[in-house]
Amino acid sequence: MGDPAVVLGVDIGTTSSKAVAFDTTGRQLAGHSIGYPLEEPHPGWAEQDPDVIYQAVVGVIRAVVDELGRPIAGLSFSTAMHSLLGLDADGTPLTPSITWADSRASAQAERLRAAPSGLALHRRTGTPVHPMAPLPKLVWFAEQEPKLHERVAHWVGIKDLVLRRLADALVTDHSVASATGLMDIHRLAWDTEALRVAGITEEQLPQLVPTTHVLPGLTAEAARATGLPADTPLVVGAGDGPLANLGLGAVRPGVVACSIGTSGAMRVMVERPGVDPLGGVFCYALTEDRWVVGGAINNGGIVLQWAGDALAPELGEHAEEELLDLAATAPVGSGGLIMLPYLLSERAPHWSALPRGAYVGLTHGHGRPHLVRAALEGVCQQLALVLASVRAAGNEVREIRASGGFARSALWRQILADALGMPVRFPAGHEGSGFGAALLGMQALGLISSIEVAADLVRIEETVRPDPASAATYAALLPLFSELYDALVPTFASLRRMAPSLPPEPPPTAPPR
């Protein structure tokens, strides 16, 4: 018996790309990460240079190949969802990669969402009609950049571009496509009505393939750049959200995966696609018989970064630990101070680009510790609203598993368990999406029998149980937190109308990381 086979999970994230090598026992053997900026040339825009991202992907693969020094059975990919870029006929980008965080298509999304067909589009495609999604972005390009819109030969996501350059194939998987607002999730085909609204044709989109689709090898140039044999198979892979569930072992119905990175999300695995009647959740594909239902929030770790920049700039760039120590000195509930953490607008469960952040309940007695703690509590309370929507969509919630950068903080782990009112289990060691990509690749390459093995391969390192008194406090505050959104919608709308006549919004002190 030789060593177990090794698959490289490659995760093309919002702020970095990572490659991590796993063997079929689930053991992590090597890993490397390369970061890149998120550019914000105008308020509400959030875009990236696709060439920089491609070079980062090649760089992380090369670094792991060199470190590992043993054969790799294949590559399998994960990607941040909702990205959009236009290519010419030769595959050269005509636009930057427009990310999920970009809200330039807010007016288009609101118009589409308010139309009689808005909810039907959401329920048919699984994707909320929201500026994060490629559908409203395409409408924006048609209306605001019509000449550019006409010049684009192919509209793709960032992973589609990477695969085209690595393997000379123009394909997109059902998982990424289910997050575009352009694919009928019930037929696994491009949606005729959505394409009509977007002003594009099916020929301008990549070929739809299953997430387990295998591309037979690398181009000669990609083989040289990565240090891999040209016949190394590439598994197309899926979106980072569904793969995070897989990487956390949350593959069985009733097991929720919660993540807080730059943004945040709450997703539960289901066996057939569907969206609730009110459209409070998304539905994205993983495989033909596994889908995730849930909601994403725009504001996760970015809120803590903002708190450092705005409330404690003297602590410097890497002040997370000091900020969390500060927050720990404030009481549960932050002395009646509530923060709506909508710094980058918001997604679930309201799916509107209108909201802005707000502190409500400030008194003379509140100081920096309360302000920072209320920010952390706001993120966790927003996730509690998403969890309520997942339940309202008819899904049982038996267990919660969590991952992401926030998990390094004992305080933040406890606040999350208290706000959700359930024990939260933290798996050991794995980058959820990268491990999920590797597991999907192993199934596609016939190295494991089924992705179901994920539930057994993932070891739970810690379970954080809610403190009854704290959980009761957050449960009492949650209706107030929820009502504040509705109460402030008219104010958010007025601020939007007034924006052109006001001095411009200040740019962020640093891009999200």
Side-chain angles (χ1 to χ4, degrees), residues 385-416:
L385 291 183
V386 177
L387 186 64
S389 292
V390 168
R391 285 190 170 117
N395 299 293
E396 180 195 11
V397 177
R398 291 185 291 103
E399 180 187 335
I400 297 174
R401 296 184 176 199
S403 69
F406 89 104
R408 291 190 295 269
S409 160
L411 174 67
W412 210 337
R413 291 197 302 267
Q414 189 63 55
I415 292 174
L416 181 67

Side-chain angles (χ1 to χ4, degrees), residues 339-363:
M339 185 204 187
L340 301 185
Y342 308 143
L343 306 179
L344 293 173
S345 180
E346 195 45 285
R347 286 183 281 175
H350 302 292
W351 304 108
S352 168
L354 273 178
R356 291 171 170 238
Y359 277 104
V360 177
L362 267 172
T363 71

